[in-house]
Amino acid sequence: MAGPKSRDVDVDVRGIQDWGMRSRWVVVWAFAGLGVATQVSWLAYAATTTAAAGHFGVSEQAVGWLANLFPLLFVVLAIPAGVALDRALRPTLAVGAVLIAVGAALRVTVDVYWAALVGQMLAAVAQPVLAGAITRVAAAYLRVKDRPLGIAIGAGATYLGMITAIGIGTAIPDDVPLVVAVGAGFSILTAVAGLVALKVAPGYDRVAAGSPLAVWRAPGVPVLAAVVFLGMGIFVALATWLEPLLAPAGIGADTSGLLLLLMLVAGVAGCVVVPPWAARRSAEPRALQLAGLVTALVCLLLGFLPKLTGFATSPLLGFALLSALPVALAMVERHDPERAGPITSLVWLTGNAGGLVVSLGVGLLLDTPALAFALLAVLGVGAAVLAARLQRHEDQVPGPGRHGELAGSGDAGVRE
């Protein structure tokens, strides 16, 4: 770890741009609202799958595709979305907001399956734009000292959106059009608010850094991407399969849903608390290590003692695991602000790929829940081991130059 002197030098260099400037939080909060709307769109039918299948006259698998479009299109579109954000931040974000609104309006005005599919597809195209902009919005509108919190708010909004979507579907389980209408109304309102907020010009210069592929081999980036691959993979697998994994232990769908909700609520709290704390202490790798170890322990407890430990451990799991993503993104912005945008897009791409791969693997083990949870525990330990490699880089690279590259050596200095 760098000593106080080197950290002060870093703050002085990057803080020059803050003189006479102020953070523009209205844009960050409007952007966070769009993040919530994206997740509400993604899970619009998730809590009412059976009812939606009957309503549209299609199979439950067809309804499942209304959600599966999102991770699939994310993997395909993450890189071009990242390039567009670097070249034209506000216009690209405006396109994302419009897609969210149009998709929502189509779903609510044309009550047939094809309209739901097209509406979901429009929102799914917007998702990599809005998710990939988390560090970009913070860098463009916030002072350096405020950016970890801004990144945490942007990332935490995705989990708040999941809570909102699950809450809407749970409160209105049998009225599919009303569920869609509530979610669509929220999406349209946040889209309008986002478009209004984007009239505010960025207060800080940003450097267009090109394609996310160009930063793949930057020091530390593959390791960080692998950590996020495993972390998001574990989360998506739990969000997808928690109910069938706990059912053999006599835990019903209502209880497993409550456990997932507790996990998400605790995750939102973790997103607000952990990233700024870790950034102030330059302790992001250690926070990621701890998250991996806590995840592994809780997965083992859920696999072998779910009834005894479920309610005590699920909030702990959510607090640790869900805060890991904004910790990783804040680490990117602190270490390599010049390339934080494309690295963020790359991290999101690998995270969504991890969600697909790990969820598929766990889905093959539903008949052996203990083995499935053991697999998730092993992946958590793997994430902790990879995070330890980031920490070794952090400890070995002395002085201000450590902030020029992500957890590694190389070009020193910061240009904003």
Side-chain angles (χ1 to χ4, degrees):
M1 300 292 288
K5 182 177 180 180
S6 64
R7 192 175 304 160
D8 290 343
V9 171
D10 173 68
V11 171
D12 289 341
V13 171
R14 296 190 62 193
I16 291 174
Q17 65 170 327
D18 286 352
W19 294 352
M21 307 291 285
R22 62 183 179 84
S23 294
R24 292 157 171 81
W25 284 103
V26 64
V27 182
V28 174
W29 285 110
F31 168 75
L34 283 170
V36 174
T38 304
Q39 304 306 99
V40 169
S41 298
W42 172 34
L43 301 175
Y45 303 93
T48 58
T49 299
T50 301
H55 178 75
F56 291 127
V58 298
S59 66
E60 291 187 1
Q61 288 75 15
V63 175
W65 273 104
L66 297 177
N68 291 338
L69 282 170
F70 282 74
L72 289 174
L73 287 179
F74 200 114
V75 172
V76 173
L77 297 175
I79 290 176
V83 173
L85 286 165
D86 277 328
R87 293 181 177 177
L89 178 65
R90 286 195 289 172
T92 303
L93 286 175
V95 169
V98 170
L99 288 174
I100 288 288
V102 173
L106 181 61
R107 290 196 306 271
V108 78
T109 56
V110 184
D111 189 21
V112 294
Y113 179 76
W114 71 260
L117 185 65
V118 174
Q120 291 292 90
M121 189 175 298
L122 293 174
V125 171
Q127 186 183 33
V129 169
L130 299 173
I134 289 176
T135 56
R136 291 168 169 91
V137 168
Y141 287 97
L142 298 180
R143 301 173 68 184
V144 172
K145 69 182 183 65
D146 293 331
R147 289 177 190 173
L149 179 57
I151 291 170
I153 290 171
T158 62
Y159 305 130
L160 182 59
M162 296 178 191
I163 296 172
T164 303
I166 293 172
I168 294 172
T170 302
I172 321 170
D174 300 318
D175 193 336
V176 175
L178 183 56
V179 169
V180 173
V182 172
F186 178 82
S187 297
I188 292 170
L189 286 175
T190 55
V192 172
L195 291 172
V196 172
L198 285 174
K199 292 182 178 180
V200 178
Y204 301 93
D205 293 333
R206 302 173 59 257
V207 178
S211 168
L213 292 178
V215 299
W216 173 250
R217 293 189 178 183
V221 170
V223 178
L224 185 67
V227 172
V228 176
F229 179 96
L230 295 176
M232 286 189 67
I234 293 170
F235 169 68
V236 172
L238 288 172
T240 304
W241 303 117
L242 188 62
E243 188 271 330
L245 286 175
L246 294 180
I251 297 176
D254 53 345
T255 301
S256 60
L258 181 56
L259 293 177
L260 180 60
L261 188 61
L262 289 173
M263 188 189 308
L264 290 169
V265 171
V268 172
C271 285
V272 174
V273 173
V274 179
W277 175 87
R280 286 195 301 270
R281 291 161 176 78
S282 301
E284 293 97 335
R286 296 195 188 281
L288 294 175
Q289 283 180 266
L290 183 60
L293 294 175
V294 169
T295 297
L297 176 61
V298 173
C299 285
L300 288 176
L301 291 173
L302 288 175
F304 294 96
L305 299 168
K307 281 190 172 181
L308 291 177
T309 63
F311 282 101
T313 58
S314 59
L316 180 62
L317 176 61
F319 188 90
L321 179 59
L322 274 64
S323 65
L325 177 61
V327 165
L329 297 181
M331 181 181 179
V332 167
E333 203 286 324
R334 181 172 68 85
H335 277 279
D336 203 346
E338 183 176 325
R339 298 182 294 183
I343 293 174
T344 296
S345 295
L346 184 64
V347 165
W348 272 108
L349 186 155
T350 54
N352 277 269
L356 290 173
V357 172
V358 177
S359 181
L360 178 62
V362 171
L364 298 175
L365 299 175
L366 295 182
D367 292 333
T368 54
L371 184 58
F373 279 114
L375 171 62
L376 295 176
V378 169
L379 296 181
V381 172
V385 171
L386 290 170
R389 290 185 57 187
L390 292 174
Q391 184 61 52
R392 285 196 294 272
H393 281 300
E394 185 93 354
D395 293 338
Q396 290 170 0
V397 181
R402 64 186 286 180
H403 298 281
E405 297 260 352
L406 175 60
S409 59
D411 299 332
V414 175
R415 298 190 303 274
E416 294 223 33

